[in-house]
Amino acid sequence: MAYIETFWMACDSTEQLRAEYGPFHGRAEAETEAARLGFGYLLRYEHVLSDNEEIQEVRCVFIELHLTPAPIAAVRRLHTRCATCGVSSVHDEPWRAEVWADIHEFEHSRHRVRLFEQTQSQMREIGNWRDSVA
Ligand SMILES: [Zn+2]
């Protein structure tokens, strides 16, 4: 009497050279992980086991997920860069950028720190930022 053991992997394609992540015992769990990784497929492995738990057959079935595009993460990073000496830093919070600039401009008189905002793949400069907060 054979029985079947099933487990799930998240994978990024159905190609031979694919990235797989897992295993998971449940499909829901695998789907959650696939979504997190941006993987578009699940792979269901079925091991057909004999009485003494020897694998007699391995079946695998790809299941394509219809991922809704991940919500655009509101990732905004602030880059400060000194126009005078070129030292730069990255910040998550505007106030950290300001503190960084304050310290830098305090330690190096006449240096001028510029601020850039990076969202997704775009980088734009925020002009006159030091004047507006003063
Ligand atoms: Zn500087």
Side-chain angles (χ1 to χ4, degrees):
M1 275 259 300
Y3 71 97
I4 296 174
E5 185 185 64
T6 305
F7 61 89
W8 300 82
M9 305 288 284
C11 51
D12 66 344
S13 79
T14 58
E15 305 293 314
Q16 197 96 46
L17 289 170
R18 61 183 173 260
E20 289 185 14
Y21 193 79
F24 303 98
H25 288 292
R27 175 176 178 160
E29 211 182 334
E31 268 187 37
T32 306
E33 205 57 36
R36 194 178 67 79
L37 296 164
F39 286 3
Y41 299 88
L42 292 186
L43 186 53
R44 189 178 75 208
Y45 277 100
E46 294 176 350
H47 287 173
V48 180
L49 303 171
S50 67
D51 276 344
N52 46 7
E53 302 212 334
E54 271 180 276
I55 295 173
Q56 297 189 314
E57 195 188 331
V58 176
R59 299 175 195 156
C60 50
V61 181
F62 284 103
I63 295 160
E64 189 173 355
L65 297 172
H66 297 280
L67 297 176
T68 47
I72 291 162
V75 177
R76 188 178 79 135
R77 314 207 76 186
L78 297 164
H79 296 246
T80 43
R81 181 179 159 86
C82 177
T84 318
C85 69
V87 171
S88 62
S89 188
V90 183
H91 317 271
D92 292 323
E93 311 275 349
W95 67 269
R96 287 189 190 276
E98 233 173 276
V99 168
W100 189 91
D102 278 344
I103 294 170
H104 189 81
E105 289 181 1
F106 176 78
E107 287 178 347
H108 309 269
S109 61
R110 291 165 184 244
H111 281 206
R112 183 84 183 153
V113 174
R114 298 166 77 194
L115 178 69
F116 299 87
E117 177 188 57
Q118 185 187 24
T119 48
Q120 302 302 104
S121 54
Q122 292 187 332
M123 183 89 103
R124 70 177 186 93
E125 181 170 11
I126 299 172
N128 298 326
W129 71 292
R130 301 290 281 158
D131 299 333
S132 61
V133 297

